[in-house]
Amino acid sequence: MRIVIAGGHGRIALRLERLLAARGYEVAGIIRNREQGDDLREAGAEPVLCDLESASVEHVAGILQGADAAVFAAGAGPGSGIARKDTVDRGAAVLFADAAERARVRRFLIVSSMGADAQREGDEVFDAYLRAKGEADDHVRTRLGLEWTVLRPGSLLDEPGSGLVRLEAETGGGAVPRDDVAAVLAELIETPATAGLTLELVSGSTPVPVAVKAVAGN
C-alpha cells in the first residue's frame, strides 16, 4: 500500500510516517522545503517537493497517482496569520481532496480540529483557523469519489502517547498527545469501515485499535 501525506514534515505527520513505514507501507510525504527531506527519510518516508498553496490540482493528482490512501496533515502552524489559515488550512486541504478524487485515490483522511466550524464567528486568528478547518471538512464531505474520514483531535500535546484514547462523534473538550493522534490515523487507514465518519479524539481509557474498531461501521 502506498500512502501520501500532505504536510509531511509536521509533528503528527512525522510520527505517522514512522508508524506506517514500520508496518511495511510505502510512504511519501509532501513538503515545501527541500531541507526537510532528510527528516522524512529518517522516518522511513519518501520526500516529495510541492507547495500546496500554489500547485495545481493536476500536479498534485500526478503525485497521488497510484496511491491507496491520502492523508491531509498540513497546517499553517502557530504564528501564521489569518491569510495563511485560509490558504493552507482551507485552500490546500480543498486542493488535496480534489486532487485525490481526480487521481482516484479512494481512502482519504483529514486531520481537522475539535471545534472546526465553517460558521464560526469572530475576527481573531483562532476563529479564522476553526472557520478554515470547518470549510475544509465540509468540502471533503462532499467529495463522492472519496472514502473520507475527518479526525478532530482536541488540544495537541507533545508528551509521550499512552495508547489510550476516547474516539467518538462527540467527546467533549480535552487534550491528546500527537503520538496518539498518529496511532489513530494509522488504524483508521487500515479500517475502511470508518469512511463517512467525523470523529473527535481526546485521551481516554480505550486502546487505540479497540477504539477504532468500536466506531467502524457506525
Side-chain angles (χ1 to χ4, degrees):
M1 180 183 283
R2 176 175 169 82
I3 301 163
V4 180
I5 302 172
H9 196 258
R11 286 182 284 177
I12 291 173
L14 285 169
R15 288 166 165 86
L16 178 59
E17 287 155 4
R18 292 187 187 96
L19 290 175
L20 295 174
R23 296 185 185 196
Y25 293 124
E26 180 185 348
V27 186
I30 295 175
I31 54 175
R32 293 195 311 160
N33 185 347
R34 191 182 302 274
E35 295 176 357
Q36 297 170 341
D38 286 344
D39 291 337
L40 270 72
R41 294 184 190 96
E42 184 180 339
E46 167 202 353
V48 177
L49 200 62
C50 177
D51 185 349
L52 293 175
E53 288 182 87
S54 60
S56 67
V57 171
E58 292 77 11
H59 179 71
V60 179
I63 293 171
L64 287 164
Q65 199 69 42
D68 299 286
V71 181
F72 185 83
S80 58
I82 288 175
R84 292 204 71 227
K85 302 304 183 191
D86 182 67
T87 57
V88 179
D89 293 290
R90 183 201 61 80
V94 166
L95 174 80
F96 197 59
D98 290 351
E101 191 172 42
R102 183 166 300 191
R104 300 185 185 278
V105 180
R106 296 292 297 174
R107 193 74 176 106
F108 188 92
L109 278 68
I110 180 168
V111 182
S112 182
S113 173
M114 190 175 292
D117 181 358
Q119 305 306 316
R120 172 89 175 195
E121 296 182 355
D123 300 323
E124 299 299 322
V125 173
F126 189 63
D127 298 318
Y129 167 74
L130 292 178
R131 238 184 343 262
K133 283 292 193 183
E135 290 172 3
D137 294 350
D138 288 349
H139 182 81
V140 167
R141 289 187 290 231
T142 67
R143 299 300 88 197
L144 299 179
L146 300 179
E147 296 174 356
W148 54 263
T149 303
V150 176
L151 183 64
R152 291 178 164 177
S155 300
L156 297 170
L157 306 173
D158 282 327
E159 65 189 41
S162 68
L164 301 173
V165 299
R166 183 178 178 191
L167 179 69
E168 299 172 14
E170 294 183 10
T171 62
V176 61
R178 288 179 171 85
D179 285 351
D180 290 334
V181 178
V184 168
L185 288 168
E187 290 293 328
L188 289 172
I189 289 170
E190 296 181 341
T191 312
T194 57
L197 299 180
T198 298
L199 299 167
E200 293 185 353
L201 173 66
V202 294
S203 292
S205 57
T206 306
V208 167
V210 177
V212 172
K213 287 182 175 63
V215 297
N218 293 341

